[in-house]
C-alpha cells in the first residue's frame, strides 16, 4: 500500500487479517516468478506517480488535487518550510491532523489551531438526504500548536463530546462546528464560540466555552440564538481598534449574515446587531483587518460541494457599509475556490516589524468520507477587485500554488 493509504488507515483504525494457506513445492516456482513480475509492475507504477506532484482523482464529482506523500512533502518534516495545499497535514507524531472547519489564535508567539474532529463512519441522516448533509458522530474539538505554521504538536481534545446526555448541546448525535477562539485580556480567559445544531440543522444556535489556557480544557457554558436570531456558520472577530469582539453568523436560513456585538467578557451579547449581505445566501464567513479596512471572504451555500468564493470590503467599520468585490480566487479552478471552502484568514507577522501578511485557510471537504477531508492554505495578495463596478477598490487575491514557502511567500 502507498504511504497515503497507510495514513488514512491509521485514522480509521482499521485492520485486516490474512488467511494462512499451504502450497505444494510445484507451485513455489510460479509464485516466485509472479512476485518478481508484480514487483516490476509496481515499480513502474510508482515511478510514474512520482513524476508529477499533483494527481487527479477519478471520483466523477470533480477533480481533486492529491499531493504525493514523499518524505520531503510532509508538513511535519523538520527541515521543511513548505505548505502543500490539499496534502495530508501531519502532526509532529506523524499522525494526520484532524482539525476541520478550524480557527486560529496567535498568543505569546505560538499559533494555536482548533478544529472539528472528523473520524469514524460517514453517513447521511434521512432528514438531510435531500441536500446531501452527510456527517460523522461528534467527537469533540481538537487543538494543535506551532511556532512556524509547519510543525504542529497535538494538544488533544480540548472540548469533548458528551456521550450520556442526549439533551446536551455537545451530544454525540448533535453538531458542533467551526470553532473559533480569542483571548480576552480583561478576564485572562480564552473564549471559544462554535456552531451548535441538531442533526437536521434546525436548532441553529451558537455555543460558547472558555478556558484558562489556550490548550484547554474548555468549559462549556451554554448556547444562544444570538439576539433571538437563528445562527449557523460563524466566525469570531476582535476589532484591533477597540478590542470589541463580534460574532458573525449565517442567519435567516443562511440568506443574511448577522454582525453581533459581544459583551466585554466575550461570552454573551450586548443586544447590538445588524444584518449584512441581505439575500446573498452565504456561509463559511471570515473577517480580517488591513490598513484600517475590514475584509470579508466567504462562500455560497452548496453543502459539501465547492463554489466560487465571495469577498467584500468595508472602509469604515465592521457594521459597513460593505461593498462586494467578487471572487478573490484567480486562475484554474478559481470558480470552485480550488475545490475548498473558507474557514479562516490568519494574520502573519514577518517578525521584523514589516507589513502584516495574511493566509487564507480553507477545507477541501470529502462528503463521502469526511475523515479524508483536506486543508488548503494559500497566501493572500492584494490588487484590483474583480467586479466591474469596483475596479478602483483594492481587494484580496488568492492564486493556487502546489507548494509555497511560508517564510518567503510574500518576499
Amino acid at each position: 500500500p502507498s504511504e497515503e493509504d497507510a495514513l488514512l488507515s491509521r485514522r480509521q483504525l482499521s485492520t485486516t487479517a490474512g488467511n494462512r494457506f499451504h502450497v505444494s513445492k510445484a507451485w513455489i516456482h510460479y509464485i516466485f516468478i509472479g512476485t518478481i513480475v508484480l514487483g516490476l509492475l509496481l515499480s513502474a507504477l510508482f515511478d510514474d506517480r512520482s513524476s508529477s506532484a499533483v494527481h487527479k482523482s477519478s471520483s466523477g464529482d470533480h477533480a481533486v488535487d492529491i499531493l504525493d506523500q514523499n518524505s520531503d512533502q510532509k508538513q511535519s518534516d523538520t527541515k521543511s518550510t513548505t505548505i502543500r495545499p490539499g496534502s495530508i497535514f501531519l502532526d509532529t507524531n506523524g499522525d494526520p491532523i484532524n482539525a476541520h472547519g478550524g480557527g486560529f489564535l496567535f498568543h505569546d508567539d505560538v499559533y494555536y489551531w482548533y478544529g472539528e474532529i472528523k473520524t469514524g463512519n460517514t453517513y447521511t441522516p434521512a432528514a438531510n438526504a435531500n441536500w446531501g448533509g452527510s456527517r460523522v458522530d461528534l467527537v469533540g474539538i481538537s487543538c494543535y500548536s506551532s511556532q512556524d505554521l509547519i510543525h504542529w504538536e497535538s494538544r488533544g481534545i480540548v472540548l469533548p463530546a458528551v456521550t450520556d446526555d442526549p439533551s446536551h448541546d455537545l451530544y454525540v448525535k448533535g453538531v458542533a462546528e467551526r470553532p473559533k477562539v480569542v483571548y480576552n485580556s480583561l478576564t485572562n480567559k480564552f473564549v471559544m464560540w462554535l456552531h451548535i445544531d441538531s442533526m437536521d440543522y434546525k436548532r441553529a444556535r451558537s455555543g460558547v466555552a472558555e478556558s484558562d489556557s489556550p490548550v484547554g480544557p474548555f468549559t462549556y457554558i451554554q448556547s444562544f440564538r444570538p439576539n433571538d436570531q437563528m445562527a449557523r456558520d460563524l466566525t469570531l472577530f476582535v476589532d484591533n481598534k477597540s478590542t470589541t469582539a463580534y460574532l458573525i453568523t449565517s442567519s435567516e436560513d443562511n440568506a443574511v449574515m448577522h454582525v453581533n456585538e459581544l459583551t466585554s467578557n466575550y461570552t454573551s451579547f450586548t443586544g447590538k446587531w445588524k444584518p449584512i449581505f441581505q439575500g446573498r445566501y452565504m456561509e463559511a464567513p471570515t473577517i480580517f483587518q488591513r490598513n484600517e479596512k475590514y475584509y470579508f471572504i466567504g462562500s455560497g451555500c452548496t453543502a459539501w460541494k465547492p463554489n466560487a468564493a465571495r469577498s467584500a470590503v468595508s472602509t469604515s467599520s465592521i457594521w459597513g457599509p460593505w461593498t462586494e468585490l467578487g471572487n478573490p480566487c484567480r486562475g484554474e479552478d478559481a470558480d470552485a475556490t480550488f475545490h475548498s471552502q473558507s474557514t479562516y484568514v490568519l494574520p502573519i507577522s514577518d517578525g521584523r516589524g514589516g507589513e502584516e501578511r495574511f493566509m487564507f485557510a480553507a477545507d477541501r471537504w470529502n462528503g463521502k468520507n469526511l475523515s479524508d477531508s483536506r486543508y488548503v492554505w494559500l497566501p493572500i495578495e492584494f490588487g484590483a477587485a474583480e467586479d466591474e463596478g469596483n475596479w478602483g477598490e483594492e481587494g484580496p487575491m488568492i492564486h493556487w500554488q502546489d507548494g509555497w514557502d511560508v517564510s518567503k511567500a510574500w518576499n
Side-chain angles (χ1 to χ4, degrees), residues 195-389:
H195 169 205
I196 294 294
D197 225 319
S198 51
M199 189 182 291
D200 60 5
Y201 286 85
K202 291 183 178 179
R203 290 191 69 205
R205 300 176 70 85
S206 299
V208 61
E210 65 179 5
S211 174
D212 294 324
S213 166
V215 296
F218 281 79
T219 300
Y220 189 73
I221 301 173
Q222 61 179 320
S223 68
F224 304 81
R225 275 201 162 188
N227 301 296
D228 296 322
Q229 303 292 318
M230 67 189 309
R232 293 195 176 113
D233 280 10
L234 58 77
T235 195
L236 184 58
F237 172 75
V238 178
D239 194 321
N240 59 28
K241 297 179 182 178
S242 64
T243 70
T244 301
Y246 303 87
L247 190 71
I248 294 85
T249 57
S250 296
S251 190
E252 302 178 39
D253 282 322
N254 296 344
V256 180
M257 285 282 171
H258 285 185
V259 178
N260 305 279
E261 187 179 77
L262 297 177
T263 54
S264 60
N265 62 4
Y266 298 172
T267 62
S268 188
F269 301 94
T270 65
K272 183 178 181 180
W273 65 282
K274 182 179 180 178
I276 59 174
F277 307 125
Q278 297 188 57
R280 294 292 289 128
Y281 287 92
M282 293 197 280
E283 59 184 16
T286 72
I287 286 185
F288 61 102
Q289 284 173 273
R290 177 181 180 269
N291 295 343
E292 304 299 316
K293 296 180 181 180
Y294 300 77
Y295 290 93
F296 169 94
I297 298 177
S299 82
C301 301
T302 53
W304 299 121
K305 295 180 180 180
N307 56 68
R310 319 271 185 89
S311 66
V313 63
S314 170
T315 59
S316 55
S317 79
I318 194 170
W319 303 106
W322 287 90
T323 301
E324 289 201 47
L325 301 174
N327 184 358
C329 298
R330 301 289 189 271
E332 185 179 0
D333 292 330
D335 58 349
T337 315
F338 313 118
H339 303 290
S340 70
Q341 183 185 41
S342 52
T343 187
Y344 200 81
V345 170
L346 177 65
I348 300 173
S349 171
D350 64 5
R352 301 187 297 272
E355 184 179 5
E356 196 170 43
R357 311 298 187 176
F358 299 89
M359 183 186 81
F360 175 72
D363 293 279
R364 177 172 286 170
W365 298 113
N366 181 345
K368 295 179 180 179
N369 181 11
L370 286 167
S371 65
D372 187 29
S373 299
R374 309 291 178 87
Y375 313 106
V376 172
W377 294 0
L378 292 164
I380 297 178
E381 302 170 273
F382 286 82
E386 184 180 75
D387 279 4
E388 288 186 12

Side-chain angles (χ1 to χ4, degrees), residues 11-13 98 117-122 136-137 139 370-371:
R11 178 176 286 174
Q12 298 293 345
L13 301 177
N98 205 331
I117 298 172
K118 299 290 191 188
T119 190
N121 181 51
T122 297
V136 295
D137 284 344
V139 176
L370 286 167
S371 65

Side-chain angles (χ1 to χ4, degrees), residues 67 83-85 338 377-379 381 399-405 409:
L67 292 175
I83 290 175
R84 299 187 180 278
F338 313 118
W377 294 0
L378 292 164
E381 302 170 273
H399 295 86
W400 175 259
Q401 300 184 46
D402 291 341
W404 56 284
D405 189 329

